Amino acid sequence: MRISPFALLVGTVVLAGGSAAAFNLSMQANNHGNSNAAASTSTNRRDFLTKTSAAVAASAMSLPKVAIANDADPYADYTTTESGMKYLVTKEGDGAVPSAGQLVKAHYTGWLDEFDSPKKFDSSRDRGRPFQFKVGAGQVIRGWDESFGTMKVGERRKIILPSRLAYGDRGAGGIIPGGATLYFDVELLGIL
């Protein structure tokens, strides 16, 4: 039995990334009727399939990632300060802006990973008790001093703090890992 060049071409599998693998179809023709040859052909096919599967998986992992339209920056509307803090005003305030050293009352919710993620680590809103601190006095993380020092009473913001404006490489309380970017929804309720 003679195998045409077309039959050999059909036995070739072209893999992603331009590499190719093939098994020898001509063995069937040369070994027709020989039971040992049939077992050998079966093993060769099995080897081919195993090697091809591994090659396809390796090729798929090395393919470049395709950008999807939904991958647009979800924080493109945010303002970025010189320090690297990002914020978005979600409710305009109409009151005064606190001066350094003034005591303020605020509500907040904080998350790891992103806003509204399952990794909420703290919330004064959930407790129903606003938080009080002196703005610009170093009583809170640097990103809070920066944000609350520019907010009007009644204003609500979403802020994104890189780790250097939050807890840095040390993290906090076994809950916030070192190097974590923090996401807060903050509201300035009043100046006391």
Side-chain angles (χ1 to χ4, degrees):
M1 178 174 165
R2 185 166 165 84
I3 297 181
S4 72
F6 177 74
L8 287 174
L9 178 64
V10 173
T12 302
V13 177
V14 177
L15 303 175
S19 59
F23 63 91
N24 189 348
L25 288 176
S26 65
M27 286 185 70
Q28 291 179 344
N30 295 337
N31 299 318
H32 187 67
N34 183 340
S35 64
N36 287 338
S40 174
T41 300
S42 175
T43 301
N44 286 342
R45 284 185 185 154
R46 194 173 305 119
D47 289 344
F48 166 76
L49 291 174
T50 302
K51 290 175 186 174
T52 301
S53 296
V56 168
S59 294
M61 284 191 269
S62 68
L63 290 175
K65 301 290 184 229
V66 177
I68 299 173
N70 292 341
D71 283 351
D73 181 6
Y75 308 114
D77 293 341
Y78 284 61
T79 299
T80 303
T81 66
E82 266 186 48
S83 69
M85 175 181 75
K86 293 183 180 194
Y87 72 91
L88 178 71
V89 175
T90 58
K91 179 184 159 201
E92 293 290 338
D94 56 7
V97 175
S99 300
Q102 283 189 300
L103 186 66
V104 297
K105 179 170 62 169
H107 262 314
Y108 69 92
T109 301
W111 297 271
L112 297 171
D113 296 339
E114 63 185 352
F115 295 104
D116 299 317
S117 82
K119 293 186 179 180
K120 182 190 315 183
F121 58 83
D122 196 12
S123 176
S124 66
R125 285 186 186 92
D126 290 353
R127 288 189 299 278
R129 253 181 69 211
F131 181 71
Q132 295 181 12
F133 66 99
K134 287 184 181 177
V135 173
Q139 293 180 344
V140 292
I141 56 180
R142 286 178 46 207
W144 273 35
D145 274 339
E146 181 181 344
S147 186
F148 283 101
T150 60
M151 292 173 70
K152 292 180 179 177
V153 172
E155 185 175 322
R156 189 168 177 172
R157 290 182 180 181
K158 287 187 171 187
I159 61 174
I160 303 171
L161 304 179
S163 65
R164 69 182 172 280
L165 297 178
Y167 295 99
D169 291 333
R170 71 183 188 281
I175 297 169
I176 298 171
T181 296
L182 302 182
Y183 299 79
F184 288 99
D185 179 345
V186 296
E187 183 176 11
L188 181 56
L189 300 173
I191 300 172
L192 305 175

